[in-house]
Amino acid sequence: MACVAAVPPEVGFRSEGRNDHFAMCMENEAEAITDPTDQGVPRMSLDALKEACLRSGGYDAPELNELLHLSYKGFRKIECLQPYTAVCSLFLECNGIRRLENLRHMTNLKSLYLQSNCIERIENLEALTSLRLLNLAHNSISSVEGLATLTSLETINLAANKLTDVESLAGLAERPTLRTVDISCNYVEDGDGLLEFWPTALPRIECLYVHHNSCSRYLKDVRRRLISKLPKLRWLDERPVTPVERVGCEAWATGGREAEQAAKVAHWQEEDEAKRRSFENFKRLQKVTAERARIQREEKAAREAARCQASEELKDTGALADGWVALPSGQDACKLAGDAKGARQKALRAKVDEFFASKEESEKQENHSGSCTVATAPVSLLDVALAECAKEVVADDENLAS
């Protein structure tokens, strides 16, 4: 900040010179305050961006970052973002940014948060065709514009700006893909015009916030009028649009409050009837399930009785009835399994001993003949032999289990 010092009269300057010098100092001070390149104001430099990425868990290389957190930094200008081409979400809220600029290269951007800044116009966003969410709440925007090329935009927040009339909202009609719009806490006076704007500009809107405008204090039947004219609306201001409320609002639009109440009563009756039918279906399904379980228990008991009878006949006559097969008991099965396992182990040991014996015999013959041959490593041969034996054991186990 420039410093102004009093000039003593003995220096010899005239009064006009002192006034000119004072005015020049004040102008320099004002320029230093408003100039975003002032040394006392944080700059969005490459080093500052790199530090912000590392602090938020990002990457040192700019092209690897998909999230960029630059909130509460005191930046006054958007700059030096050219290397960050892969960013999908950019957080710039609570700074001192005055203008939307230098974002043309961020074609992958899907979410842009610029609330609580000093922005006055929506501009320079033509290249952001992938943008889905734009938050410009708590700025100084007086007119909606520049949205025609944002073909993917679905949500825009313009709460707490300087929108004063319905004509300032005309830019919203240029973007029919919008599904969520927030213009609450503005200064729109024409309440009837505001309510008539949405069915013509955005008839497929799903979430709308219009509360706390200047017209809100005297405007009546806001919910009824908007819900009856916006068939896709699912949320209005501070609460959802329920099915019974929609039925009532649509009836109110054609027949007044009596029709609204009658439609609500009919809707409640239909809901009760649907619940009753659902409960009856549940009881019927429960009964069928219980009957099926009873039949399964009876069949199981019948099979067990027939098995016991066949077992008794086997003990008495020594012959099995048709359709039955004799299986060993639990202890006999364990004994058979143990005997089979011991036999397999013996066979495996015999194969290993035979392998070593044949290997020793071949080595003796080679030494006796004096021939020079390259021998295969015994460990690998043993591994091969053991692997083959192990496969045979596994196959025998599977046959026994089956």
Side-chain angles (χ1 to χ4, degrees):
M1 181 178 295
C3 180
V4 180
V7 180
E10 61 269 20
V11 175
F13 287 110
R14 294 180 301 174
S15 176
E16 295 179 359
R18 288 199 302 269
N19 293 336
D20 294 340
H21 179 71
F22 179 80
M24 185 178 299
C25 290
M26 293 301 295
E27 290 177 1
N28 293 336
E29 182 179 357
E31 290 177 1
I33 292 175
T34 58
D35 188 5
T37 61
D38 183 14
Q39 295 298 326
V41 177
R43 293 287 301 277
M44 195 181 292
S45 61
L46 293 176
D47 292 337
L49 294 174
K50 179 179 177 181
E51 181 181 357
C53 289
L54 296 178
R55 284 192 175 184
S56 60
Y59 301 96
D60 182 85
E63 62 274 8
L64 298 180
N65 292 280
E66 295 184 353
L67 301 177
L68 193 54
H69 295 270
L70 302 175
S71 309
Y72 298 92
K73 301 294 185 182
F75 297 139
R76 294 187 183 180
K77 183 179 181 182
I78 302 174
E79 55 185 338
C80 299
L81 291 175
Q82 286 76 10
Y84 293 85
T85 55
V87 172
C88 295
S89 297
L90 178 58
F91 298 86
L92 286 167
E93 66 267 24
C94 299
N95 284 286
I97 299 172
R98 295 180 179 274
R99 189 178 179 217
L100 291 173
E101 57 184 341
N102 300 324
L103 295 172
R104 183 177 298 274
H105 62 284
M106 306 184 78
T107 55
N108 293 321
L109 198 62
K110 293 179 174 59
S111 303
L112 180 57
Y113 298 88
L114 284 159
Q115 62 269 29
S116 300
N117 280 282
C118 306
I119 300 170
E120 298 180 355
R121 289 189 60 190
I122 305 175
E123 57 183 345
N124 300 322
L125 300 178
E126 294 81 6
L128 306 184
T129 56
S130 299
L131 191 66
R132 296 181 181 177
L133 184 148
L134 178 59
N135 193 336
L136 291 168
H138 296 274
N139 279 281
S140 301
I141 297 172
S142 58
S143 178
V144 181
E145 56 186 339
L147 304 181
T149 60
L150 305 181
T151 55
S152 301
L153 189 64
E154 297 177 353
T155 301
I156 187 169
N157 190 341
L158 295 168
N161 276 275
K162 296 182 179 180
L163 303 173
T164 58
D165 49 36
V166 179
E167 287 73 16
S168 63
L169 304 176
L172 294 173
E174 299 176 354
R175 187 54 11 242
T177 57
L178 284 171
R179 295 295 178 264
T180 301
V181 178
D182 188 349
I183 61 160
S184 60
C185 303
N186 277 280
Y187 306 95
V188 180
E189 292 282 354
D190 185 6
D192 293 332
L194 180 62
L195 299 185
E196 295 295 333
F197 169 78
W198 304 106
T200 56
L202 296 172
R204 300 181 63 83
I205 194 170
E206 298 177 0
C207 185
L208 179 62
Y209 299 86
V210 296
H211 60 86
H212 287 88
N213 271 275
S214 300
C215 59
S216 300
R217 61 182 180 270
Y218 63 83
L219 200 58
K220 295 182 179 180
D221 297 323
V222 176
R223 292 187 66 87
R224 290 188 178 97
R225 295 170 66 178
L226 286 176
I227 293 173
S228 61
K229 294 181 180 180
L230 296 172
K232 299 293 182 179
L233 195 64
R234 296 186 291 111
W235 189 283
L236 179 59
D237 286 339
E238 298 175 352
R239 66 178 188 268
V241 178
T242 60
V244 64
E245 184 180 16
R246 173 164 294 283
V247 169
C249 291
E250 292 175 352
W252 172 86
T254 56
R257 293 185 179 273
E258 294 181 357
E260 177 186 8
Q261 189 62 28
K264 287 184 177 181
V265 171
H267 182 78
W268 288 327
Q269 291 176 351
E270 291 178 0
E271 283 188 343
D272 292 340
E273 180 65 20
K275 291 179 181 179
R276 185 188 63 80
R277 290 196 301 268
S278 177
F279 183 67
E280 290 180 354
N281 291 334
F282 170 75
K283 288 171 59 177
R284 186 160 49 250
L285 180 62
Q286 191 178 32
K287 183 178 180 181
V288 171
T289 303
E291 181 67 18
R292 183 181 300 171
R294 184 189 63 80
I295 294 174
Q296 290 177 352
R297 289 194 300 269
E298 291 178 354
E299 292 177 351
K300 183 177 180 181
R303 288 196 302 270
E304 184 64 20
R307 187 192 66 79
C308 293
Q309 183 179 358
S311 178
E312 292 296 331
E313 291 179 358
L314 178 62
K315 291 179 181 178
D316 295 340
T317 63
L320 278 174
D322 295 338
W324 294 93
V325 178
L327 296 176
S329 62
Q331 295 180 353
D332 295 339
C334 293
K335 183 177 180 181
L336 291 174
D339 295 341
K341 183 177 180 180
R344 288 196 301 274
Q345 290 179 348
K346 290 180 180 179
L348 180 61
R349 173 58 60 183
K351 290 182 178 180
V352 172
D353 294 340
E354 181 181 358
F355 169 75
F356 281 112
S358 61
K359 184 175 181 304
E360 292 177 357
E361 184 66 24
S362 61
E363 288 178 354
K364 289 180 180 180
Q365 292 179 358
E366 290 176 358
N367 293 333
H368 180 72
S369 61
S371 61
C372 180
T373 58
V374 179
T376 306
V379 176
S380 61
L381 291 174
L382 179 60
D383 290 340
V384 173
L386 292 177
E388 293 178 353
C389 295
K391 290 180 181 179
E392 295 179 359
V393 171
V394 171
D396 294 340
D397 289 337
E398 292 179 351
N399 293 332
L400 181 61
S402 62

